[in-house]
Amino acid sequence: MRTEQAPLAPPAPTSTSAPVSAPAVAVAVASRWVLDRINGLFTFLTERPVSLYATAVLRIGYGLLYLVFLLREFPHRDKIWGPGSPWTPALARQLFDQTGWLSVLTLSDSRVYFELCYATAVVTAALFLLGWRTRAVSVVFAVVVASFHARAIFMTDGGDNLILLMAVYLVLTACGRRWSLDARRAGLRTAKKATPSTGTADRPASGLLPHLHYARRKLATAVHNCGVLVIGAQVCFLYGSAGLYKVQGGTWGNGTALHYVLNLDLFRPWPALSLLADEHAVLIAIAGYLTVLLQVAFPFVLFGRLKYPVLAMLFGMHLGIAVLMGLPLFSGAMIIADAVFLPDRFYRAVPRLARRALLRTGLWRPEHPRGAGSASVPSQARPAAGGPLGAPPASATAPASASAVVRDQ
């Protein structure tokens, strides 16, 4: 009996060793928490694409902005990017050998080739704006923007740099899922497939092809979400670095920076308007301090409701830059970039709020469907099966069709 009871003795110390294993339990709980966070981040990146409406706004905004830019510079295209530019294609190629830039405009010195490239750029910007074959067109749009940017690198500014970055980032996103010709075509295709009840959707997903489609969808979602995060981080770095750079200057510290800006002839499209604004020294100083505060605090207010008034004030600031300093391309690029921080529920609510405002002002009235009655001809009652003659009339909506099916059965 002693030899049989000897192996049973070791389990007794387990109760006394529980306090010793507390660090191990804490490590296990911490590792479990880390694994849950990693799993949640992976699920966030791969399960559902975020900010589809925001990326659609960026696509429409930058496509429209660049299209207007190309049409605006159409009379001066040869002097800026063409063979007749003072910065000739040969000089551009010599610079590319040092900087590593590339441009399709320097592949030939022919004027016909340049005109063909310019027409292609205009068409590409229009198709990108409309969202036609967005996956392929977004790549062509990025190549177009990079080529024109590199061809006249000494004539670019911060707005051109931001448009180039956003054109590259939008290649990663699914910016054609909303408010595009692609979305309309996908909706029509889905409606057409949903009409016949063939039962193909109930087939089990077996074989290699369904798994490849599943992996492709997961990868596209992850790349889209990462692209949106990169766009947001780029805008945050832009605002934060600009604010910190202003803090280092003495003119921004004493509130006189905007006074000197308003008196620069290079940035005064309307001198009378600039002088009128410069007369209010106190307001100019307040605007300067507020500009620095908004730019420095911008990355820290993105996760609360405070971002909405901050975005509104930044919108007003960029409008002032466009009007007073004559930089509409830069201001437009910044305003469009700020749209990435507005949630999709905001963009879904905008049409509804617009309809309510139009209804209140009387500028728009919804059309009533035919057959439902009008002010001149009242609707005629139809006797229902088994009901009185004065029963309510059957309408053309889904409940009426359902009742008709019940009566036929």
Side-chain angles (χ1 to χ4, degrees):
M1 294 296 292
R2 292 180 182 178
T3 57
E4 294 179 358
Q5 293 178 356
L8 299 177
T14 56
S15 59
T16 59
S17 62
V20 181
S21 62
V25 173
V27 171
V29 171
S31 61
R32 180 66 178 177
W33 182 86
V34 172
L35 291 177
D36 290 341
R37 300 287 80 77
I38 295 176
N39 187 23
L41 178 62
F42 181 78
T43 303
F44 169 77
L45 291 177
T46 59
E47 288 296 329
R48 185 178 62 87
V50 299
S51 301
L52 290 176
Y53 286 95
T55 53
V57 171
L58 264 65
R59 186 202 80 240
I60 296 172
Y62 286 115
L64 178 61
L65 187 64
Y66 209 74
L67 178 62
V68 173
F69 172 66
L70 292 176
L71 295 179
R72 168 64 179 81
E73 302 299 338
F74 182 80
H76 316 287
R77 63 192 184 281
D78 184 50
K79 297 297 182 181
I80 301 177
W81 302 287
S85 172
W87 188 254
T88 61
L91 292 175
R93 285 190 289 267
Q94 292 180 11
L95 181 64
F96 295 163
D97 294 337
Q98 302 176 7
T99 60
W101 281 90
L102 294 175
S103 176
V104 297
L105 299 176
T106 59
L107 298 179
S108 176
D109 296 344
S110 172
R111 187 174 298 275
V112 177
Y113 175 77
F114 169 72
E115 296 294 344
L116 180 61
C117 290
Y118 203 89
T120 303
V122 172
V123 174
T124 301
L127 294 179
F128 186 68
L129 162 66
L130 298 175
W132 183 81
R133 306 293 180 183
T134 314
R135 284 294 184 185
V137 173
S138 62
V139 178
V140 181
F141 181 75
V143 173
V144 165
V145 174
S147 298
F148 278 79
H149 183 88
R151 179 63 182 86
I153 190 67
F154 296 108
M155 300 183 63
T156 57
D157 56 12
D160 298 291
N161 296 333
L162 183 60
I163 292 176
L164 174 61
L165 290 174
M166 292 302 171
V168 175
Y169 296 154
L170 286 175
V171 175
L172 306 176
T173 64
C175 55
R177 296 276 189 92
R178 298 291 185 271
W179 294 341
S180 64
L181 296 179
D182 290 344
R184 178 179 176 83
R185 183 173 60 254
L188 294 176
R189 188 186 301 116
T190 303
K192 187 180 296 184
K193 289 182 179 180
T195 48
S197 57
T198 56
T200 57
D202 298 330
R203 294 178 182 177
S206 60
L208 180 62
L209 190 60
H211 291 285
L212 291 178
H213 285 301
Y214 177 79
R216 175 183 174 273
R217 185 169 62 251
K218 290 287 186 180
L219 180 61
T221 302
V223 171
H224 166 83
N225 292 337
C226 291
V228 173
L229 294 177
V230 169
I231 291 174
Q234 179 67 60
V235 179
C236 289
F237 283 133
L238 194 153
Y239 278 120
S241 60
L244 294 176
Y245 184 80
K246 288 182 176 64
V247 170
Q248 300 175 10
T251 57
W252 288 97
N254 55 31
T256 60
L258 294 182
H259 163 72
Y260 293 110
V261 171
L262 293 174
N263 286 274
L264 292 175
D265 293 334
L266 186 61
F267 298 102
R268 287 205 304 179
W270 294 282
L273 184 60
S274 299
L275 292 176
L276 179 62
D278 191 36
E279 292 178 356
H280 304 81
V282 178
L283 295 180
I284 291 298
I286 294 175
Y289 290 130
L290 186 60
T291 299
V292 177
L293 178 62
L294 290 176
Q295 291 181 343
V296 174
F298 180 79
F300 304 100
V301 300
L302 296 178
F303 303 99
R305 295 183 179 180
L306 190 60
K307 70 177 180 180
Y308 295 105
V310 170
L311 288 174
M313 288 186 286
L314 288 174
F315 178 78
M317 182 189 73
H318 291 308
L319 284 183
I321 293 174
V323 175
L324 295 176
M325 298 182 60
L327 297 173
L329 186 66
F330 170 77
S331 299
M334 290 303 304
I335 291 173
I336 297 169
D338 293 342
V340 75
F341 299 106
L342 295 175
D344 282 351
R345 62 178 180 273
F346 172 82
Y347 294 106
R348 288 193 295 264
V350 167
R352 183 170 63 252
L353 296 177
R355 285 194 297 267
R356 290 180 181 179
L358 292 176
L359 284 174
R360 291 179 180 178
T361 57
L363 298 177
W364 176 75
R365 294 181 180 180
E367 296 181 359
H368 297 283
R370 294 182 179 179
S374 61
S376 58
V377 181
S379 58
Q380 303 295 325
R382 179 180 298 177
L389 184 62
S395 61
T397 57
S401 59
S403 61
V405 173
V406 173
R407 288 197 302 268
D408 293 338
Q409 291 177 351

